[in-house]
């Protein structure tokens, strides 16, 4: 059964208003944050420096301006000398959201080209920098493996998953597609095509590649074998989810109703009904 479920933005005191995870050795010196992301990335590329993005949500206690006076230990501030620092509002950058529940504080460690290498939540300390360095080494290993075997399903799938987990969605789509194109075993190919569709239209992320998602689902539904039946149902469910994510409610309702009328006893009928009810709730029309 699909694990997709409806969720709502959770704003809790522990997620939003607690400063305690950030407080280290007090320092009155403010960090050199810039707010111009493009300029920061250009500067990083020129200097071959990594980038640290500090995410904030306006009007809440984890705002970076409030943190600077008591944010970091001396050791951590020294580590930051080798980074270009940029602060960004999460509200203005939906591409960095993870679903609809946001947890703060949060930092993105990027390489000099703007690829997210480590997505860090919580205290900014030596653990965060160690994780960034470890993730950098993992990425290098995966890139070398993919370059050595560009037609390998495993190599492409591994690096696609790495990029996807770190919100590099365009890169993850590229390698998921290569993985699908280099997998001949039907069940594994269908599964990675579903992963590809999820990477193309992630929930509430503000970044979409509908064309590739449609291609992936078409590839699943094109198979006429009996073995593909379950995956065809999953593909139809994904089409409804994608329509809802993109705000195309009426097409989603029509697809959901058609599925339930055609296959009321399908294993995914319950999941499809949830999508139908959600779509109807957004229109206020339950008559259908």
């Amino acid at each position: 059964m699909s694990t997709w479920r409806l969720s709502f933005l959770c704003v809790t005191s522990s997620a939003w208003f607690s400063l305690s995870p950030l407080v280290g050795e007090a320092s009155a010196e403010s960090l050199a944050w810039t707010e111009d992301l493009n300029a920061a990335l250009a500067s990083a590329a020129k200097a071959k420096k990594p980038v640290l993005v500090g995410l904030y949500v306006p009007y809440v206690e984890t705002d970076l301006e409030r943190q600077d006076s008591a944010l970091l230990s001396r050791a951590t501030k020294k580590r930051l000398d080798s980074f270009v620092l940029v602060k960004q509002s999460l509200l203005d950058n939906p591409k960095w959201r993870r679903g609809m529940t946001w947890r703060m504080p949060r930092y993105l460690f990027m390489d000099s080209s703007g690829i997210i290498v480590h997505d860090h939540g919580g205290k900014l300390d030596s653990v965060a920098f160690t994780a960034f360095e470890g993730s950098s080494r993992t990425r290098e290993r995966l890139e070398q493996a993919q370059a050595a075997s560009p037609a390998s399903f495993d190599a492409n799938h591994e690096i696609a998953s790495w990029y996807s987990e770190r919100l590099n969605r365009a890169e993850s789509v590229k390698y998921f597609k290569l993985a699908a194109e280099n997998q001949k075993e039907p069940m594994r190919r269908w599964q990675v095509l579903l992963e590809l569709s999820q990477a193309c239209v992630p929930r509430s992320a503000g970044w979409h590649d509908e064309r590739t998602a449609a291609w992936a689902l078409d590839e699943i539904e094109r198979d006429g074998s009996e073995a593909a039946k379950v995956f065809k149902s999953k593909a139809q469910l994904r089409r409804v989810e994608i329509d809802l994510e993109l705000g195309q409610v009426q097409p989603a309702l029509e697809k959901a109703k058609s599925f339930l009328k055609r296959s009321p006893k399908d294993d995914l009928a319950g999941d499809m009904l949830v999508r139908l009810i959600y779509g109807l709730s957004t229109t206020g029309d339950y008559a259908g």
Side-chain angles (χ1 to χ4, degrees), residues 20-27 70-73 123:
S20 57
L22 284 170
V23 176
E25 182 180 323
S27 169
L71 177 60
L72 304 169
S73 68
K123 186 176 180 180

Side-chain angles (χ1 to χ4, degrees), residues 171-230:
E171 290 77 14
S172 72
V173 165
K174 170 187 171 182
Y175 289 108
F176 273 129
K177 189 171 184 181
L178 283 172
E181 289 171 345
N182 287 286
Q183 177 54 253
K184 303 306 179 188
E185 198 282 310
M187 297 287 281
R188 293 187 74 189
R189 185 166 190 269
W190 298 330
Q191 184 58 51
V192 80
L193 285 168
L194 285 174
E195 290 182 75
L196 173 57
S197 76
Q198 290 159 355
C200 287
V201 190
R203 295 179 55 219
S204 306
W207 180 94
H208 303 118
D209 179 357
E210 301 98 313
R211 180 177 295 182
T212 305
W215 171 83
L217 298 175
D218 287 344
E219 286 292 295
I220 295 172
E221 294 193 69
R222 192 173 290 124
D223 193 301
S225 67
E226 182 66 22
K229 184 178 179 181
V230 171

